[in-house]
Amino acid sequence: FRTNLRSAPFPNGVDEFSEADVRFVEESSSEPRLIAESPVQLKCELNRCIPRGEGPGVGTLVLGNVVEILLSKKLGDIDLQKGIPPETLNNVGRMGADHYARTTEIFQMARPTIKK
């Protein structure tokens, strides 16, 4: 995955998009670039950064507040209140360390309700 290449420890000033051959869309010079192939773009404001330790292989948990959701044209008719059907996204999730998972086995489970 080209996105994984972007996690390499490049020195400051190296364009990770170019190194990973990732196409991008630049909406304006004041906003971050968006990955062109991504069907969903989340624009976020930084909430906080939480360091998870020090040294190689340790990262920082970055938390953001979503302020805008952009959908590609193929997802434009989706009702976000019902959620985006996962099979339309071909999701890959990071499981920790060098492990990843695909959403190839999908099932639904209704949320419980409480009678008042």
Side-chain angles (χ1 to χ4, degrees):
F1 298 108
R2 291 179 288 169
T3 303
N4 186 48
L5 180 57
R6 293 182 60 220
S7 68
F10 294 112
N12 286 340
V14 172
D15 185 337
E16 297 170 359
F17 280 88
S18 295
E19 292 295 321
D21 194 29
V22 173
R23 292 185 320 114
F24 65 90
V25 176
E26 196 162 354
E27 288 200 327
S28 73
S29 60
S30 64
E31 294 191 26
R33 297 178 285 182
L34 305 172
I35 297 173
E37 290 89 0
S38 178
V40 179
Q41 310 284 349
L42 301 177
K43 289 188 177 183
C44 301
E45 291 178 346
L46 180 63
N47 180 304
R48 66 178 173 226
C49 296
I50 304 171
R52 303 307 303 156
E54 295 182 22
V58 177
T60 300
L61 176 62
V62 179
L63 301 175
N65 299 323
V66 177
V67 295
E68 187 176 2
I69 300 172
L70 304 172
L71 301 177
S72 69
K73 289 179 183 173
K74 78 175 191 174
L75 299 178
D77 295 332
I78 289 178
D79 180 357
L80 288 178
Q81 296 300 316
K82 295 180 181 177
I84 299 172
E87 63 273 7
T88 63
L89 298 178
N90 192 23
N91 290 334
V92 174
R94 179 121 187 238
M95 303 302 292
D98 292 339
H99 303 283
Y100 292 82
R102 289 188 181 275
T103 54
T104 54
E105 183 180 332
I106 300 170
F107 64 94
Q108 287 184 295
M109 184 181 303
R111 293 183 182 188
T113 59
I114 298 175
K115 295 180 183 179
K116 293 184 178 183

